[in-house]
Amino acid sequence: MKPFHKRAVIVGALVLTIVTGGAVTYAVVSHEEDPGCGNLLGEKPVQRILGSEHRTDMSCADLGEALRRAATGPVAGQHTLAQAQNMHDTIMVINEDIQQRRQPTIAEGLRGPITKALADYAGDSFEMLTAINPDYNHRRDSGPWREGAVVRMPVPLGDLVRVMRAASDAPSAYATLRAAQTRECADGLGALPAKVTDTEFRGPARDCAAGLGRFDAIADDLPENKRQDWQKAVLAQLADTAPKAPPASYGDDPAEHIMRTWQQGFTGADPDESAFMDDDISRLIDIWVKGRGEDPRSGRVKLLRAKAAGDASGTAGDTAAALTCTRHPHGSSCPLL
């Protein structure tokens, strides 16, 4: 990937000129204008992905749609190695731009298309956000690989989180990505057999909690002066896009029962900051154990709730620190995320 071009970053009334190889003066950054897409359009990975579609005068929306088309196919969640490589490079180049600017933001026109692409790779994102598949970490810099009939798309976890946070300035993007993550959770929970050990019983819910904790941190990273309206819009989208028909029975379709019950629960939800997605993993656990016919007051369910809450809190803390370090990268406590 080539070095970044000279460009101006506008922060309030202050202009910071960043020059490759030169001295850089930084200030505490609290707000940035829409960063636009000019710098991304000049990057070689973007030019390679777009090929003949590339134009230097593309709008951000057109750029985003072109990147999405290059990374996804006609069947949701199924990708060729070439498409997965395009998605890998898209995340990497957007992340590098974010880190150069020290702000986890992207142009407004990019948010929708990039969100659609991220949601199409929800299976990969789930495995990276929960850290359940070490192959993603081992291969994060070497690019996609084929595993049987499945193409895997790895990127560094921090890169993924920063791009997700940048897209999530749009509440519709956050709602879409959180629902996609929860769908992966529901699939894992619903697939657990009736008779399992206590360790096996705890596994899917704890994996789910670890991923959702990162989404909690992304929500908490939104500016306080915009957060309540943003939360209201997120909850409204989750409620409005929920299927209106009653959920299938757990016995007929466990994953669909969990997912639909979860999403329908947002109808009439309180957008107050203190209640936003409060203890979402416990709500999912309650839906799941009720469907399985487990006693929600049993010792193993109580222990699961406690451990899952701890898992969510831990990954939320790591993610919050990583986002802080995006803005202030030389802090002594910056995590290797």
Side-chain angles (χ1 to χ4, degrees), residues 101-117:
R101 292 183 287 104
R102 298 189 176 191
Q103 277 294 299
T105 58
I106 56 175
E108 183 177 355
L110 283 177
R111 294 172 196 160
I114 294 303
T115 295
K116 291 177 183 177

Side-chain angles (χ1 to χ4, degrees), residues 11-294:
V11 186
L14 178 65
V15 178
L16 307 181
T17 301
I18 301 175
V19 184
T20 301
V24 181
T25 302
Y26 295 103
V28 175
V29 178
S30 60
H31 173 71
E32 179 185 47
E33 288 189 352
D34 188 306
C37 299
N39 189 64
L40 291 175
L41 283 165
E43 292 299 320
K44 286 184 178 178
V46 172
Q47 294 170 8
R48 180 199 65 77
I49 293 168
L50 268 56
S52 61
E53 287 193 65
H54 181 270
R55 302 191 320 275
T56 56
D57 62 346
M58 293 179 82
S59 70
C60 291
D62 287 345
L63 171 61
E65 281 299 324
L67 291 171
R68 181 195 63 77
R69 287 194 301 270
T72 59
V75 180
Q78 294 184 19
H79 312 107
T80 65
L81 278 170
Q83 289 165 346
Q85 185 66 56
N86 289 340
M87 188 63 185
H88 172 277
D89 292 353
T90 293
I91 292 173
M92 297 286 279
V93 75
I94 291 175
N95 171 71
E96 187 168 339
D97 181 61
I98 286 170
Q99 290 191 293
Q100 287 282 342
R101 292 183 287 104
R102 298 189 176 191
Q103 277 294 299
T105 58
I106 56 175
E108 183 177 355
L110 283 177
R111 294 172 196 160
I114 294 303
T115 295
K116 291 177 183 177
L118 287 167
D120 205 60
Y121 285 83
D124 295 293
S125 297
F126 180 83
E127 303 224 10
M128 289 182 277
L129 295 171
T130 60
I132 61 174
N133 186 342
D135 283 347
Y136 278 87
N137 185 53
H138 297 156
R139 297 172 180 254
R140 64 184 188 173
D141 296 319
S142 58
W145 79 99
R146 187 179 294 279
E147 190 174 280
V150 179
V151 171
R152 305 282 187 179
M153 191 285 297
V155 290
L157 175 58
D159 295 16
L160 176 63
V161 165
R162 281 182 284 271
V163 174
M164 288 170 51
R165 164 60 187 89
S168 291
D169 275 323
S172 59
Y174 181 88
T176 296
L177 295 175
R178 183 147 190 156
Q181 175 80 4
T182 304
R183 165 62 70 182
E184 296 295 322
C185 289
D187 288 345
L189 291 166
L192 198 70
K195 294 184 178 180
V196 291
T197 66
D198 285 350
T199 300
E200 291 168 337
F201 175 73
R202 291 193 293 269
R206 294 192 66 184
D207 292 340
C208 181
L212 291 179
R214 301 198 187 282
F215 279 89
D216 293 342
I218 287 171
D220 288 343
D221 193 65
L222 269 289
E224 289 188 15
N225 64 337
K226 298 179 179 178
R227 196 174 298 168
Q228 188 159 357
D229 287 343
W230 180 89
Q231 290 171 173
K232 184 176 181 179
V234 169
L235 295 175
Q237 171 155 324
L238 288 169
D240 291 347
T241 57
K244 306 307 178 189
S249 71
Y250 188 90
D252 288 341
D253 191 336
E256 184 63 25
H257 175 87
I258 294 167
M259 183 65 189
R260 188 171 294 196
T261 304
W262 172 80
Q263 194 165 356
Q264 288 179 345
F266 290 107
T267 302
D270 183 356
D272 180 76
E273 181 174 347
S274 63
F276 182 73
M277 297 287 192
D278 187 41
D279 208 11
D280 198 29
I281 185 58
S282 285
R283 194 160 67 89
L284 276 168
I285 290 171
D286 287 345
I287 294 167
W288 176 56
V289 299
K290 182 179 179 181
R292 283 173 61 87
E294 302 261 358

